[in-house]
Amino acid sequence: MCTGISLASIEGSHFLGRTQEYNVDFDYIGVQIPAKLKITESIEEWETVYSVVGVGVKEEQNKVAQSVIDGVNEFGLGGITQYFAEFNEYSSIAEIKQAGKFPLLAEGFIFWVLANCKDTKEVEEKISTVAIADISPDGKEGAGLPQHFMFTDAAGRTIVVEPSKKLGFDVYENPVGVMTNSPKFDWHLTNLENYTGLSDVNATGSEFRDTKVLSAGKGSGLHGIPGDYTATSRFVRAAYILKFSDPVAEKDLVNKAFHILSTSDIVKGVIKLDESKGMDRQYTQYTSIYDLSKKQMYVKVYENFVIQTIKFDEAIKNAKEIKVYELTKQEQYEALN
């Protein structure tokens, strides 16, 4: 599932955020991956050009995955990835190589882009040299993880990249600053036409002959805004809340972003899947916000409402190994008496 937003402060600083919903529990950590690091956890080896801060995963035996699920690089380019079932078009490794392109796993695409591109223009240019292979995370062909991607750079330009054509990508300018899941992004933009009557002003009453009918009261301008957890509803909800919410200064922007994304929060047990026990609950595992100007990450995990933050560290940019930041996953409360 997942919901993503890009937004700006009054001063013009840009931010990118997302909720991460999944039914598989991972040991999430904060990481900073240095530049010039050889990446071996890929179909073919490659080397990072830029350093990246983001949410990573600790694997078995405390091994750290050479990737990020979402992140920001040293130039303020941020990226997020979300599920994109039924519309992704992946290719075999043989087809990709025959086309003269570099094969990537879907779950490694965000990291490859952030480690190789300075801004969204470079993203558009460099993704023409790669394609996503139809390989599952366990290395089997024919079941690549369906994903699409959103990027915002330090200048505020936001694009959506969808692997919805063979050996290539459809790239869309994102004028509303929202991405959820399937269908394709352009369909979601068209679907907004069904909700143009929504308003941030309470509806007035109406008269029928001699009878006056009162409006539903506070919030009636938003009457009809979808409240379920489908991708289509979450897109509309996030788009209009982002549109109607008050502009805020940079110091208040992270708070605003977390409030907007909280409207997509999924509590354990609300979304049940036809899977084995332990994998049958899809819920909001974490929410992350990236300050693209300061290159700083803010993250809130399901178990702990305290917002944890990690800054890009120039000293680690040219390190020899990945820097790990353990996230506190126990509840934290402030006792007032």
Side-chain angles (χ1 to χ4, degrees):
M1 298 177 75
C2 310
T3 301
I5 58 173
S6 64
L7 61 172
S9 68
I10 292 173
E11 297 92 338
S13 298
H14 297 281
F15 295 73
L16 178 66
R18 62 87 54 87
T19 63
Q20 163 73 343
E21 282 85 35
Y22 210 44
N23 63 307
V24 180
D25 289 318
F26 291 106
D27 189 358
Y28 295 111
I29 52 177
V31 295
Q32 181 168 344
I33 302 176
K36 298 182 173 59
L37 183 72
K38 183 179 291 186
I39 304 302
T40 57
E41 293 181 6
S42 185
I43 298 171
E44 294 185 1
E45 288 188 5
W46 57 279
E47 187 174 274
T48 61
V49 179
Y50 307 122
S51 182
V52 180
V53 166
V55 176
V57 172
K58 188 183 291 183
E59 300 174 329
E60 295 179 359
Q61 300 176 333
N62 286 328
K63 182 181 178 183
V64 178
Q66 291 182 311
S67 189
V68 295
I69 300 173
D70 43 78
V72 61
N73 71 13
E74 60 186 274
F75 287 93
L77 175 66
I80 61 175
T81 179
Q82 296 176 356
Y83 208 72
F84 189 55
E86 300 175 354
F87 290 86
N88 59 306
E89 289 282 347
Y90 297 161
S91 305
S92 69
I93 294 176
E95 289 173 321
I96 294 171
K97 289 187 174 182
Q98 187 174 9
K101 300 191 175 190
F102 188 78
L104 291 171
L105 294 170
E107 56 270 30
F109 181 82
I110 277 285
F111 176 50
W112 184 90
V113 168
L114 295 179
N116 284 278
C117 303
K118 294 181 180 179
D119 54 31
T120 52
K121 286 294 184 185
E122 272 203 358
V123 175
E124 290 186 271
E125 294 167 5
K126 291 190 176 181
I127 61 174
S128 65
T129 67
V130 301
I132 296 178
D134 208 6
I135 298 179
S136 66
D138 60 6
K140 297 178 181 179
E141 288 201 29
L145 188 66
Q147 299 277 277
H148 64 165
F149 318 94
M150 185 162 81
F151 300 96
T152 301
D153 57 31
R157 183 178 182 238
T158 299
I159 60 172
V160 170
V161 176
E162 295 184 337
S164 48
K165 61 184 181 183
K166 199 74 170 175
L167 293 168
F169 303 90
D170 287 313
V171 179
Y172 303 93
E173 296 283 343
N174 189 337
V176 296
V178 175
M179 183 176 79
T180 55
N181 311 101
S182 309
K184 294 177 64 177
F185 179 73
D186 55 349
W187 184 95
H188 283 289
L189 289 182
T190 301
N191 185 52
L192 288 178
E193 295 176 4
N194 291 309
Y195 298 91
T196 54
L198 292 176
S199 169
D200 52 353
V201 178
N202 291 332
T204 59
S206 184
E207 291 188 4
F208 294 83
R209 297 184 180 177
D210 297 329
T211 302
K212 186 173 183 179
V213 178
L214 301 178
S215 76
K218 295 177 181 178
S220 56
L222 286 172
H223 184 75
I225 194 168
D228 59 69
Y229 290 117
T230 61
T232 53
S233 293
R234 285 182 286 110
F235 190 100
V236 173
R237 193 160 66 246
Y240 273 96
I241 292 174
L242 192 59
K243 169 184 170 63
F244 291 143
S245 57
D246 288 339
V248 298
E250 185 177 316
K251 66 182 180 64
D252 299 316
L253 200 287
V254 171
N255 180 280
K256 171 181 173 176
F258 273 109
H259 277 295
I260 293 173
L261 289 174
S262 72
T263 65
S264 294
D265 247 8
I266 301 176
V267 181
K268 283 184 181 180
V270 174
I271 304 294
K272 298 181 178 69
L273 306 178
D274 186 19
E275 300 283 352
S276 59
K277 189 173 182 179
M279 297 183 65
D280 59 348
R281 298 292 192 272
Q282 191 161 45
Y283 66 100
T284 303
Q285 298 182 345
Y286 71 80
T287 302
S288 58
I289 309 291
Y290 293 91
D291 182 332
L292 305 181
S293 299
K294 295 180 179 177
K295 295 167 288 185
Q296 185 165 350
M297 177 179 80
Y298 301 81
V299 62
K300 175 173 66 68
V301 297
Y302 185 88
E303 302 83 359
N304 182 12
F305 268 47
V306 172
I307 297 170
Q308 302 170 68
T309 183
I310 300 168
K311 295 180 180 179
F312 185 92
D313 190 337
E314 289 288 336
I316 298 173
K317 184 168 70 172
N318 296 313
K320 300 300 181 184
E321 59 185 25
I322 298 172
K323 173 68 175 179
V324 175
Y325 301 90
E326 296 286 349
L327 299 176
T328 301
K329 295 165 186 170
Q330 293 77 37
E331 297 92 338
Q332 292 178 282
Y333 302 101
E334 183 178 352
L336 299 181
N337 61 7

